[in-house]
Amino acid sequence: MSIAGTATVTEDRAVVDELWSPFAEAWFPEGRDDPSIRLLTVEGVSVEYWTQDTGTVGSLVQTLKAALGHQSQPDVGSHGTLEV
């Protein structure tokens, strides 16, 4: 996924408290008061996404077919764009 937009970085401790979880504790062993914690907020304008329908092996086969000239591009999934 690719998101285009404007990003801001904050240290809002109220939001850190709201989002804190045991998963976050694994990344920040000093806890929710760790001074290195930052929050990234993205105000999105558009989103581009890709899905993989063929699995890892199928994707490899499709890529090899394209590389060998059996098809113009690998057929591994779908792609789309959303305006937000």
Side-chain angles (χ1 to χ4, degrees), residues 3-27:
I3 301 173
T6 303
T8 56
V9 178
T10 66
E11 299 177 48
D12 188 331
R13 292 295 159 187
V15 177
V16 171
D17 288 341
E18 180 183 332
L19 298 174
W20 193 257
S21 69
F23 179 77
E25 186 81 35
W27 290 98

Side-chain angles (χ1 to χ4, degrees), residues 1-81:
M1 179 185 313
S2 173
I3 301 173
T6 303
T8 56
V9 178
T10 66
E11 299 177 48
D12 188 331
R13 292 295 159 187
V15 177
V16 171
D17 288 341
E18 180 183 332
L19 298 174
W20 193 257
S21 69
F23 179 77
E25 186 81 35
W27 290 98
F28 300 99
E30 291 182 37
R32 61 184 80 203
D33 295 323
D34 188 319
S36 68
I37 294 176
R38 300 293 182 272
L39 302 166
L40 178 66
T41 303
V42 178
E43 185 72 35
V45 175
S46 67
V47 176
E48 192 168 1
Y49 64 90
W50 297 263
T51 63
Q52 183 177 351
D53 301 333
T54 61
T56 304
V57 174
S59 180
L60 177 60
V61 169
Q62 291 292 321
T63 302
L64 285 172
K65 283 182 179 179
L68 295 172
H70 297 290
Q71 61 194 46
S72 62
Q73 289 186 322
D75 182 16
V76 295
S78 57
H79 165 258
T81 302

